Amino acid sequence: TTGETYSYASVVRLEIPSGFVTIQDRIFRKDTGFTSLMTLKVPESVTSMGERNFHESESIQEIELPNSLEDIATYLAAGVKSLRKVVMKGAVTIGAYAFQSCSALEIVEWGDSLETIGKYAFDGCSALESVPMNDGITAIKERAFLNCTSLKSVYIPRNLTELGTSAFYGCTSLSGTVVIPETVTTLGDNTFQGCSSIEKAIIKGDTMSANMFINCSKLSTLVLTKDIATIGSNALSSVANGNFLTIYTGNDPERLKTVNSISRFSTKNI
């Protein structure tokens, strides 16, 4: 009734009943009174959820979004340092900054319908160790996983066409092998800069962007399956920690050396 006020401070778990179609912007933010909300389940009837719904909440730990929700809003849960798990099985697009600075986020689940991961979507998610990449993903935008320092491995989808600038910059725990498929036609600079645990890279396309592997100090093997048409400046600077970098390639080794100022490397034909 008009004039009545409600307190949401004691709400810990909330399951929204079926029938709702739209949840407007900024509903569950700290300043709206949901100071104790820890888990939220959204019904399958919801097809739209506004921006900044959990922005800077200090209590929410788990969010389960319905299969009916295809677009994950910009800044949906940005700055929520308590958030540990997100389930969004129907997502087609994860908006820019959606989970930026969610430093406790450990578990992310999405389905095969996902196509786009927006810029800065998981920037600063320093507890995130793995992400469920699927081959339907065609775009990983700029700085999508910037400084995800616990991310241990990543599968680059084989149908990916865009890998944005600094997409995995500063992912210092990212190890093993990264494979860049030949479908990537838009390759930003600094893609893996500072990924100091990567040991091997396979590039199936014809481009190496500027600063692509700069400061990847454990990178010791590079496989180039095609002649490289474009070599960005400093793409291989400060790799291999001063040891030899072995390059498997049909390219002109002197060209690679000149562009990247590499002094200690050897090439083998593939």
Side-chain angles (χ1 to χ4, degrees):
T1 354
T2 305
E4 290 186 6
T5 58
Y6 299 90
S7 173
Y8 305 108
S10 61
V11 178
V12 175
R13 185 180 187 278
L14 179 61
E15 184 170 340
I16 299 173
S18 183
F20 285 90
V21 175
T22 300
I23 297 175
Q24 300 293 341
D25 297 353
R26 307 168 188 257
I27 300 298
F28 305 105
R29 286 169 54 107
K30 176 185 174 183
D31 55 9
T32 60
F34 285 96
T35 54
S36 302
L37 183 63
M38 295 177 67
T39 62
L40 175 73
K41 185 174 182 180
V42 180
E44 290 295 328
S45 57
V46 170
T47 57
S48 176
M49 195 167 183
E51 297 181 1
R52 302 178 189 266
N53 254 291
F54 307 95
H55 187 54
E56 296 184 347
S57 165
E58 295 178 353
S59 60
I60 191 78
Q61 294 184 12
E62 184 173 334
I63 301 171
E64 185 176 346
L65 301 174
N67 293 340
S68 54
L69 188 63
E70 296 185 353
D71 295 321
I72 308 302
T74 302
Y75 290 104
L76 180 71
V80 181
K81 299 188 183 302
S82 57
L83 185 63
R84 296 185 179 278
K85 181 179 180 180
V86 176
V87 179
M88 41 184 170
K89 292 294 182 68
V92 174
T93 300
I94 298 175
Y97 308 92
F99 303 100
Q100 184 185 41
S101 299
C102 291
S103 54
L105 185 61
E106 298 174 329
I107 301 171
V108 172
E109 297 179 8
W110 60 61
D112 291 340
S113 57
L114 187 64
E115 296 177 1
T116 301
I117 301 174
K119 64 180 182 179
Y120 293 91
F122 296 97
D123 165 28
C125 292
S126 54
L128 193 61
E129 294 187 2
S130 63
V131 285
M133 293 293 191
N134 57 278
D135 285 326
I137 296 172
T138 57
I140 299 174
K141 299 291 187 177
E142 63 184 270
R143 298 171 175 84
F145 295 96
L146 177 71
N147 291 327
C148 289
T149 53
S150 295
L151 192 63
K152 293 182 178 179
S153 63
V154 66
Y155 167 68
I156 305 298
R158 65 183 178 185
N159 295 315
L160 193 74
T161 59
E162 178 181 354
L163 186 57
T165 297
S166 301
F168 294 96
Y169 183 115
C171 294
T172 53
S173 297
L174 195 60
S175 62
T177 301
V178 294
V179 181
I180 312 301
E182 62 181 338
T183 52
V184 174
T185 54
T186 301
L187 182 62
D189 296 342
N190 310 86
T191 324
F192 295 97
Q193 180 174 348
C195 294
S196 53
S197 298
I198 290 177
E199 298 163 336
K200 181 178 180 179
I202 301 172
I203 300 177
K204 295 186 175 182
D206 62 359
T207 300
M208 291 175 62
S209 60
N211 303 318
M212 187 171 180
F213 295 107
I214 191 171
N215 295 326
C216 291
S217 55
K218 289 187 179 179
L219 182 64
S220 58
T221 303
L222 176 65
V223 180
L224 306 174
T225 63
K226 288 186 174 182
D227 286 344
I228 297 295
T230 302
I231 305 174
S233 61
N234 299 310
L236 295 168
S237 291
S238 301
V239 300
N241 202 24
N243 297 313
F244 275 98
L245 171 67
T246 301
I247 304 175
Y248 292 84
T249 180
N251 288 270
D252 176 5
E254 287 303 314
R255 181 165 171 252
L256 290 169
K257 178 180 178 180
T258 301
V259 173
N260 291 282
S261 302
I262 305 169
S263 59
R264 295 171 62 83
F265 80 103
S266 62
T267 60
K268 297 182 180 181
N269 289 328
I270 55 172

